[in-house]
Amino acid sequence: MTQLRYATSVASFLKGTEAMIVLAPQNVLRAKRHPAVDALPKELAKLTRDLASDTAAGLNGSAAGTLTGSSPRKLAVGVLPNTVSRHNSPSRTESIRAQMAASSTGRRGKAGAIVILDDPAHLAGALSGIARALPVYSAKTAKKSPASLQLLALDAKGKVVKISKAVRAHLEAMREAGRLVDTPPTEMNPAEMQKEAYAMVRGLANVTKRSIVGPKLLEAGCGGIHAVGRTALSPPRLVILTYSPKGAKKHIALVGKGVTYDTGGLSIKVGGGMVNMKSDMGGSAAVLGAFRSLAEGGCKHKVSALLCLAENAIGPDAFKNDDILHMHSGKTVEINNTDAEGRLVLGDGVSYAARKLKADVVIDAATLTGAQLVATGRQVAAVVTDDEKLEAILTTVGRQIGDLCHPLVYNPEFHRKEFASKVADMRNSVSDRMNAQSSCAGAFVHWHLDGTKVRWAHVDLAGPAFVAGRATGFGVGLLAEAVRAI
C-alpha cells in the first residue's frame, strides 16, 4: 500500500526521493521560464522541460519519463491539457489520475508528485486524481518494498499551496472507501461492513452509531432491505451514524446502497454479469467516507449516514419474483426482477431518513443502473432530483472536487407508469427498458418519499465508482462538499 505524505517545501520534497512526477498543464511545462518549474533545481527543471517538449497533452494528457543520472533517480512528467471542456473539472482530476496510472511513480520506494495548479482552489480535485491512481487494497503475494508518496502543490507563482487537514482527511476517506469496495465480498459482507463503519468513526466527537439487523428490520418496517438480504449467511442491516454538532439547524441524511454482493438473486446474472459485483456497495462506501470527512473536519449541519447493507444471495429463503414487499413508506412493491434490488434497499433507507430521523434533506447514492453508464458515461455520475437548487449544488461541487455528475430528467409523470402493478402499488422494475431507465429508477426511490416535505436528490454512480476493475472512492468528495454547500 502506498502511504500519502505531505511535503512543505521543494527541498523537503526532494530529500531522499527516488522517483518523482511533475503534473502541470502543457503551456506551463513547455514555457521557457515559469516560476513553478523554476522552483525545482536547475537540472531537474531542464529535464522536466525537455521531457514535456516531446510529449503532447492531447485531450486527456500524456506522460513520459527518464532516468536522471542523479537524484531523484527517476523523473516523469504528466503533461495535462491546457483547457478542459465545460462539463469537465478544471482541476483536471481524471487527466491527473490517468497520468499517475501511466507512470510507475508511487508503486515502490520513496516517491513524490508535484502538482502545479492554475488556481489553489483546484487543490482537492487535483490531489483526488493522484489518490485514485493509488488504490489501497491488494492481496498479491509478491513482496514489494514499502512505498510512500509525498505530495507537494505549487501555485502559478511557484509558492507552496498548503495541503490542509481537511484535504488530507478527504483523501484518506476516499481511499478508505475504495478499499472497502475492492475487498472481496466474502470478507466484506454486511456484518463486516458494519464493523468497518464503526471503526472509521471511532473516536470522532458528537457521533452516535446504531444498527437494525435481521428480523428487527421487519419490526422497523424495512421490508425491502430485509427481503434483499434475508437468505444470505450474513444478515441484512441498516446502519445509522449521526453527527450532531451544537447549534445545527438543518439535518441532512446521506443514504447509501450497500449490496455487498449482487448475484441478481433468483433473476440470476449470467454470462459473466456477476463478476465485479462486489462493487455494488459503492454508494454506501461513498456515504461512509463522506460522513467521516464531515464529522472529522467539522460541519455546521447535523448529518446522518444510513448504510443499507444486504447481500443479494440465492438460497431457500430468497425473495422471489411475484412476491409483494411491504416497504417502510407504507407502499407495497410487487417483485418482477430480483436483480432490481438496489432501489428496494434505498426506498426503505430514504423513507426511514425522512419519516423516522426527520431529516430536512435526503441525498442517496448508489451503483444503481447499468443505464447510467449509457446516459453519462464511466467518469460522470447521474443526478436525478426534484430540487433545482440541489441539482445545481451537486453539479457545481462535483466539478470543483473532481467527482463529476450531470443531471438526468426528473419526470415522474412519464416514468412512474413503468412500474404499474395489478396487485400492488408498484413493481420494482420497468416495463419499457428504453424509457430513461436511470431516471425511472430515481423516480422509484423518490416515490417512497410521497407525503413528506423533504428535499431529495439521487446520485447514480455505477460507472465512476468502479473503473478498470478498481474502486475509485468516487462520491466521497461530492457528497461531503454538497452537504457543506447546503
Side-chain angles (χ1 to χ4, degrees), residues 87 376 380-385 391-392 395 399 405-410 439:
H87 288 142
T376 56
V380 184
V383 174
V384 180
T385 177
E391 180 179 279
T395 53
R399 282 195 291 272
C405 56
H406 195 77
L408 298 184
V409 295
Y410 171 77
S439 288

Side-chain angles (χ1 to χ4, degrees), residues 173-189:
M174 187 178 76
R175 296 184 81 210
E176 279 296 285
R179 177 184 66 82
L180 296 177
V181 176
D182 277 338
T183 301
T186 301
E187 298 174 30
M188 193 56 64
N189 57 43

Side-chain angles (χ1 to χ4, degrees), residues 84-103:
V84 296
S85 59
R86 69 186 186 94
H87 288 142
N88 200 351
S89 170
S91 304
R92 302 172 177 86
T93 306
E94 172 55 22
S95 181
I96 290 172
R97 184 209 65 78
Q99 304 331 308
M100 281 296 300
S103 75

Side-chain angles (χ1 to χ4, degrees), residues 106-137:
R107 298 302 187 274
R108 61 176 62 198
K110 187 177 179 183
I114 293 179
V115 184
I116 300 174
L117 304 171
D118 298 325
D119 184 338
H122 298 166
L123 177 67
L127 297 187
S128 293
I130 294 174
R132 276 186 195 153
L134 300 168
V136 174
Y137 180 84

Side-chain angles (χ1 to χ4, degrees), residues 47 126 186 213 269 290 300 306 315 348 373 382 417 453 456:
L47 276 174
T186 301
V213 182
K269 294 178 183 290
K300 64 183 178 180
L306 292 86
D348 276 348
L373 282 79
K417 66 182 181 180
K453 296 182 180 180
W456 164 83

Side-chain angles (χ1 to χ4, degrees), residues 322-364:
D322 299 331
D323 276 352
I324 293 178
L325 306 184
H326 294 262
M327 305 287 287
H328 187 272
S329 62
K331 304 288 187 183
T332 55
V333 179
E334 179 190 10
I335 302 303
N336 64 330
N337 183 358
T338 64
D339 196 20
E341 83 298 331
R343 63 201 65 183
L344 298 172
V345 303
L346 286 179
D348 276 348
V350 299
S351 178
Y352 194 95
R355 293 183 170 88
K356 187 69 175 179
L357 303 185
K358 306 298 182 184
D360 304 297
V361 181
V362 175
I363 303 175
D364 72 77

